[in-house]
Amino acid sequence: MTIRLLCAYASYPANALAVFDAATEAGLVAAKMASTDLTGGAIYIAKYPNSGLPLTGEPITRTEALYRFWGICGTGGVLCPAGNQSPSNFTSSMKFEVEAPFYAVRLLRINRSGANVLDAQKALIGVTGSNATDTSYGLTASQNLTVPVINGVPYPQLAPAGTANGFQPVVWPGREVASLTNTTTTATMTTKLPHGLITGATVTVRNADLPAYNVTNTPVIVTSTTAFTYAMGADPGAAAAAVGSYTASMVGVLRPNVDQTYAMSEKSYVKSVPRLDGSGRPLLLIRLHCNGAVYPFPFHTMSALARTPSAALRGRTYQMGYALSDAVATPNTLMGLAGELLDVYPVVSHSVPVLSLWHANDSTGQNDAIVADKISSWMHRACLTLSTPQKPIAFSNFCASSQTSMTYWNQVKAALAAGAPPPSILVVGCDSVNDGVNTDGTVAAAFGLAADVMSVCKRYGIPKPVMHPRMPLNTLNAAQYALKVAQDIELAKVAAAFGIDWMPLPVLGDGANPERWNTAYNHLGDGYHPNELCIETVLSTYAAAYIASRYL
């Protein structure tokens, strides 16, 4: 039959006449989101009403934004891939295009391996005008790929004081101690910024003015993101006046997937420079050295397709270099093209306002095993499509292959707790096929996650929260599918009541009851994932239109 929508649903505006399958129509009418009366006045629910928890009064644009183009999970869909860690003494270089001019950068680093991110690694940040990977501009391939090039001149060095000609060092402030106090023989260390440790890590403390505080490889108990305790051999009798410094080790301690944390560096002031090829998107260089002899470090396998402009990446490039040595201590080290990416992501201070969009979902959002270039998810492509010099958009992928909704949502909260600047727009999949088939339990969990999205958006000043449903799942029976339909309807009502946008994912299914994937859009017929055709022609196109109509 035909129904009249009383609020926006799928691709239809309020008051539209539409035809769906019988179960969807009945659910919409029961939820008072639609009517069988085709002539009456519509009940219109405003997108951002004057009441509702997520409203913060925050402007939608940002001056600082996180760029994260790879999702949360590593090889095999795990957050700490013990089977994909390298014991090498390795330096990775990453060069990529930023969407707007910038003047400072911080680095966000995940504690994905069994060791603390602040140990046995160091980093540099630089700017360059060359996006070449060959011998263009009279430079060597290594200079074009991994060295600051300013006005055509390479600077493989730390920038001399008072100049921008070279790299700037990165400081991880979790090492900096704010205070060191005691209760008899228990020391409490408070750090200036989140330390990134978990209970079971060991610390070595040096140069405190009271010797009892100085310990070697002593286990800690974490009491907060910026504090931990450890046992001393004697009572120092007072708080330390000179607090000294510490190093930490977590070798052998692997975090569970839902318990990953992050560490944020201090700002390094590096101003973007004009590109030699005339493009308006400035280039950023990051070097990260990890000594795998101290602890193995995880990595992603990258595709060579990302090195040159492509339609999938909307003309952008992501170029990796490497050296099997410490090329941070020696910035003039020659480096070649690499197929690995380490988990370090820039937080960029822009010279102009930008939109920042984070997407948290499962593998149907991460997409690295589906797309050829491994990094262009459908939401990523949508943002790249829309981003312009006048309205730049910074995208962050918080999607997690093979993980539940709790895992990817906890990663959003962990990054915010570490000091990542909150996004303008936070898009969250309310539940995941990895949560299992739809049951009363998954429905309750989805509503719990939705409530937490509201709370987090309020706490961190995120002005535009968006929720969307899970994609089709071919194994659902009729009763499970009815639960999914009812859940989506009720979540849309919750979103409308609290000023959250609900983004349905249209035309993925075949319209049957129970619904199955449209075979033209399903990846290898697996019943779970969108394929490249769906990502490019359906999802990214739809997401771009959705974002543009509401936020640009």
Side-chain angles (χ1 to χ4, degrees):
M1 65 178 179
T2 301
I3 59 174
R4 182 173 54 80
L5 294 170
L6 303 181
C7 62
Y9 181 80
S11 58
Y12 297 93
N15 246 344
L17 301 181
V19 177
F20 301 100
D21 62 87
T24 301
E25 290 176 349
L28 289 168
V29 172
K32 301 189 186 306
M33 296 175 67
S35 172
T36 56
D37 178 358
L38 305 185
T39 60
I43 301 169
Y44 179 68
I45 302 174
K47 281 191 302 176
Y48 299 104
N50 293 326
S51 63
L53 189 59
L55 276 178
T56 63
E58 294 287 326
I60 190 171
T61 54
R62 297 289 190 254
T63 56
E64 190 178 35
L66 171 68
Y67 287 78
R68 180 175 186 153
F69 40 84
W70 191 285
I72 296 168
C73 286
T75 300
V78 292
L79 298 185
C80 38
N84 196 43
Q85 298 194 35
S86 172
S88 301
N89 186 11
F90 186 86
T91 300
S92 172
S93 173
M94 176 168 62
K95 179 175 68 173
F96 76 102
E97 298 179 89
V98 178
E99 294 300 308
F102 58 89
Y103 64 88
V105 178
R106 296 187 288 164
L107 296 183
L108 183 72
R109 177 76 163 129
I110 191 174
N111 287 349
R112 180 178 276 166
S113 73
N116 179 261
V117 299
L118 305 178
D119 286 339
Q121 67 180 268
K122 49 198 172 185
L124 298 173
I125 294 175
V127 295
T128 182
S130 173
N131 202 33
T133 58
D134 55 16
T135 57
S136 298
Y137 310 120
L139 304 174
T140 68
S142 180
Q143 289 171 330
N144 278 320
L145 176 65
T146 63
V147 169
V149 175
I150 301 171
N151 295 325
V153 179
Y155 293 97
Q157 61 187 23
L158 287 177
T163 78
N165 298 331
F167 288 102
Q168 298 291 335
V170 173
V171 176
W172 301 99
R175 291 185 182 276
E176 296 187 39
V177 183
S179 66
L180 192 53
T181 61
N182 78 299
T183 302
T184 62
T185 59
T186 298
T188 297
M189 179 176 284
T190 302
T191 57
K192 291 186 177 180
L193 287 177
H195 47 65
L197 300 176
I198 63 171
T199 296
T202 61
V203 295
T204 296
V205 181
R206 302 181 181 89
N207 302 318
D209 61 334
L210 300 176
Y213 284 109
N214 296 316
V215 297
T216 301
N217 294 330
T218 300
V220 304
I221 297 174
V222 171
T223 57
S224 76
T225 58
T226 56
F228 55 83
T229 65
Y230 61 89
M232 300 177 286
D235 185 343
V243 294
S245 63
Y246 77 97
T247 56
S249 175
M250 296 198 309
V251 176
V253 180
L254 290 178
R255 297 174 182 274
N257 281 348
V258 296
D259 192 31
Q260 302 295 302
T261 58
Y262 294 82
M264 180 76 75
S265 76
E266 291 183 349
K267 282 187 179 181
S268 296
Y269 288 91
V270 285
K271 185 178 180 181
S272 54
V273 297
R275 284 175 51 164
L276 298 176
D277 59 11
S279 171
R281 292 190 294 269
L283 296 163
L284 175 64
L285 282 171
I286 299 171
R287 281 195 187 188
L288 180 68
H289 170 243
C290 295
N291 190 344
V294 176
Y295 69 83
F297 58 89
F299 60 90
H300 302 300
T301 301
M302 285 290 292
S303 169
L305 295 176
R307 296 173 186 168
T308 54
S310 67
L313 289 170
R314 309 305 191 246
R316 275 72 164 182
T317 59
Y318 300 86
Q319 300 169 355
M320 308 300 153
Y322 84 105
L324 292 174
S325 63
D326 184 353
V328 170
T330 55
N332 61 345
T333 300
L334 293 176
M335 302 179 73
L337 285 165
E340 294 80 29
L341 167 68
L342 303 186
D343 276 304
V344 60
Y345 299 102
V347 174
V348 180
S349 294
H350 289 285
S351 306
V352 298
V354 301
L355 284 177
S356 171
L357 186 147
W358 294 10
H359 185 201
N361 195 28
D362 52 28
S363 58
T364 61
Q366 180 160 341
N367 298 145
D368 62 281
I370 298 171
V371 296
D373 58 50
K374 289 186 173 289
I375 57 176
S376 56
S377 71
W378 54 276
M379 187 62 75
H380 188 186
R381 293 188 191 185
C383 290
L384 295 180
T385 298
L386 295 173
S387 183
T388 66
Q390 293 75 32
K391 292 183 178 179
I393 301 176
F395 170 73
S396 287
N397 192 336
F398 278 88
C399 301
S401 296
S402 303
Q403 299 302 314
T404 66
S405 56
M406 183 59 67
T407 297
Y408 59 70
W409 177 238
N410 278 353
Q411 285 295 280
V412 169
K413 295 193 289 185
L416 291 167
S424 313
I425 306 164
L426 176 60
V427 183
V428 181
C430 296
D431 69 337
S432 164
V433 294
N434 299 318
D435 296 340
V437 297
N438 292 89
T439 64
D440 289 342
T442 64
V443 172
F447 278 94
L449 190 150
D452 203 25
V453 168
M454 301 176 206
S455 176
V456 167
C457 288
K458 183 70 172 179
R459 185 184 316 138
Y460 288 99
I462 300 172
K464 307 297 182 185
V466 181
M467 298 191 299
H468 68 73
R470 64 166 68 179
M471 292 185 183
L473 177 60
N474 282 6
T475 59
L476 297 182
N477 60 32
Q480 293 161 348
Y481 178 63
L483 273 175
K484 179 187 186 305
V485 171
Q487 173 181 300
D488 291 350
I489 291 170
E490 289 302 312
L491 283 171
K493 288 169 63 178
V494 169
F498 286 95
I500 297 175
D501 267 2
W502 176 254
M503 184 176 72
L505 301 177
V507 302
L508 303 182
D510 60 6
N513 186 1
E515 184 182 56
R516 299 292 185 252
W517 268 93
N518 182 327
T519 56
Y521 298 142
N522 186 209
H523 178 65
L524 301 178
D526 67 3
Y528 291 87
H529 298 100
N531 60 17
E532 168 65 32
L533 175 67
C534 184
I535 290 168
E536 176 63 22
T537 64
V538 178
L539 285 167
S540 66
T541 301
Y542 170 74
Y546 187 93
I547 294 165
S549 67
R550 287 159 173 79
Y551 313 122
L552 298 182

